[in-house]
Amino acid sequence: MCNCNQIITNLTIAKLISCVFINKQHFLLQFLAPISTSESPPSPLMATAQFFSLPDSIKQLSDSGALSSVPTHYACRDPDAPSDVDPTLEGQIPTIDLSVLTEGDPARRSQMVRQLGRACEEWGFFVVVNHGVPETVREAMLAAAQGLFDLEEEEKAEHSGKHVMDPIRYGTSFNSKVDDVGYWRDYFKMVVHPAFHSPAKPLGFREVLGQYAACTRVVGMELLRGMWESLELDEGYMNNALDLDACFQVCVVNLYPPCPQPELPMGLPPHSDHSLLTLLHQNGVDGLQVKHGSKWVHVKAPPNSFLVNIGDQTEIVTNGRYKSVLHRAVINGRSTRMSIATVVAPSLDTVVEPVAQLVSSERPAMYRGVRYREYLEHQQRNKLWEKSALDHLRLQ
Ligand code: OGA
Ligand code: NI
């Protein structure tokens, strides 16, 4: 999908034309204009920039107002490639009414459990409505997250350059130590369970995060309960096997600033999550796409909904019955997009393996077991690309 070569080839002969002072300490950008081998002047689309060092954040790059084109390091898409998005699939994304799972009469509940099972089997993705998380809590979280990104770069830097297992991390792209292209995203990742971690600033952030984390954990657990039931797995057994009382929960806040050439970079590349499931909520600006069959589907989030995707730990534990879904984030040229992803996973010490009930001679174990801590560390330490972390564990 990323066709960097062609774009880079267009830029192999380039000359330095100017420098831009982005902040007081660093010359961050050197704008390069390609020397055209023909008589025609270089197209403005080809004018680009090369970093001597990466910016502290995409927000800083975008806020500087100095950017009229995308630095080559971020240009990973071929703008001339035919669209791989199928708009006819949008209307088929399954919806799960959580209130029916939690308080519906038995007949309606069983029907919703089956619907959930089908959504997991056919899509690995669904929209959750009537989830019970108050809109005030969701709005407060978005506002608090904006406040977090609006802190001075020096204040945010306190949480940058951390080890992938550190409980609070601020950064840009996915893992800028290993990414060979940059992604148009800044993030904060905060481990909120079993131990709760929050940045001390901005004022009040900690309380909002605590409340949001508690509410979303309840939704995650209800969905998992329904998923186990849809596979006729015993809830108590699964809670023990995955040590869900000590479940690992991370709140990831993503910021995708507007981009002068949104068709060139990705917000996040195609990937699956390392979780059991991930709940996503956004600031009204769409940008999530999920893969269904061979096509991508642009997700329009209904108001007051969570977008839920199945993660790799569910694929392992269900022996491939419920597969993690590939998804990616696209950006736009007008508005800042913010999304809050809540990752719900087994406890770090759980050895996750296919559950015996779903392994048989007709369907032997498809993955080897691995301690979730090791899986997570491996996934976060490497490049984010499709299902590369899970592929390591495949037996069949
Ligand atoms: C993620 C993710 C998608 C989005 O944080 O893992 O896939 O739309 N986010 O922000
Ligand atoms: Ni994701």
Side-chain angles (χ1 to χ4, degrees), residues 268 271-273 278 280 288 309 327-328 341 384:
L268 276 174
H271 69 280
S272 59
D273 289 350
T278 305
L280 192 100
L288 176 68
N309 63 268
H327 56 286
R328 64 188 185 188
L384 188 66

Side-chain angles (χ1 to χ4, degrees), residues 150-171:
D150 285 344
L151 291 174
E152 294 298 326
E153 215 55 56
E154 294 73 42
E155 293 176 295
K156 293 187 279 187
E158 189 189 324
H159 305 293
S160 65
K162 298 282 186 186
H163 182 266
V164 295
M165 296 302 277
D166 271 336
I168 304 179
R169 280 195 291 144
Y170 166 61

Side-chain angles (χ1 to χ4, degrees), residues 47-326:
T48 189
Q50 183 83 39
F51 287 107
F52 280 126
S53 62
L54 290 171
D56 292 335
S57 70
I58 302 293
K59 181 173 187 299
Q60 186 188 32
L61 197 57
S62 174
D63 286 354
S64 73
L67 207 61
S68 59
S69 60
V70 164
T72 46
H73 182 63
Y74 295 93
C76 71
R77 307 187 92 184
D78 175 3
D80 299 323
S83 170
D84 51 8
V85 175
D86 183 348
T88 65
L89 291 168
E90 261 170 40
Q92 296 174 29
I93 295 175
T95 298
I96 299 301
D97 183 333
L98 196 71
S99 68
V100 176
L101 281 187
T102 51
E103 58 206 43
D105 67 73
R108 282 189 73 211
R109 185 183 141 73
S110 305
Q111 199 186 3
M112 194 54 72
V113 165
R114 280 197 298 278
Q115 214 164 303
L116 175 62
R118 268 202 308 279
C120 292
E121 200 144 13
E122 292 167 13
W123 281 78
F125 181 79
F126 47 88
V127 173
V128 173
V129 296
N130 297 328
H131 43 70
V133 180
E135 212 36 35
T136 47
V137 171
R138 287 163 38 102
E139 286 298 320
M141 186 63 221
L142 282 168
Q146 185 65 58
L148 191 58
F149 285 115
D150 285 344
L151 291 174
E152 294 298 326
E153 215 55 56
E154 294 73 42
E155 293 176 295
K156 293 187 279 187
E158 189 189 324
H159 305 293
S160 65
K162 298 282 186 186
H163 182 266
V164 295
M165 296 302 277
D166 271 336
I168 304 179
R169 280 195 291 144
Y170 166 61
T172 187
S173 194
F174 175 70
N175 179 347
S176 35
K177 288 201 183 89
V178 297
D179 294 334
D180 40 24
V181 295
Y183 302 115
W184 203 259
R185 149 182 112 139
D186 298 333
Y187 65 84
F188 269 92
K189 300 188 182 185
M190 294 150 291
V191 174
V192 291
H193 196 264
F196 177 75
H197 302 268
S198 168
K201 288 182 197 162
L203 203 65
F205 183 86
R206 188 184 178 85
E207 288 68 29
V208 174
L209 179 66
Q211 207 175 11
Y212 186 80
C215 290
T216 47
R217 191 159 61 249
V218 170
V219 174
M221 290 303 151
E222 282 299 341
L223 289 170
L224 287 175
R225 197 154 80 94
M227 282 159 54
W228 309 144
E229 193 173 328
S230 70
L231 289 167
E232 297 178 359
L233 298 171
D234 180 75
E235 182 193 342
Y237 176 83
M238 293 308 287
N239 283 350
N240 263 332
L242 298 169
D243 195 14
L244 292 182
D245 285 345
C247 74
F248 185 71
Q249 184 190 1
V250 191
C251 190
V252 182
V253 192
N254 297 307
L255 187 83
Y256 305 99
C259 175
Q261 292 169 296
E263 65 289 355
L264 292 182
M266 293 295 304
L268 276 174
H271 69 280
S272 59
D273 289 350
H274 53 78
S275 55
L276 284 164
L277 49 79
T278 305
L279 310 171
L280 192 100
H281 141 231
Q282 61 185 28
N283 66 339
V285 182
D286 293 325
L288 176 68
Q289 297 184 340
V290 296
K291 191 131 190 226
H292 186 59
S294 61
K295 288 294 182 186
W296 287 92
V297 187
H298 194 73
V299 182
K300 293 201 179 105
N304 305 348
S305 64
F306 281 108
L307 309 176
V308 179
N309 63 268
I310 298 300
D312 296 340
Q313 304 313 303
T314 295
E315 179 162 341
I316 298 170
V317 82
T318 66
N319 200 24
R321 285 285 297 276
Y322 293 168
K323 291 193 169 53
S324 58
V325 66
L326 282 181

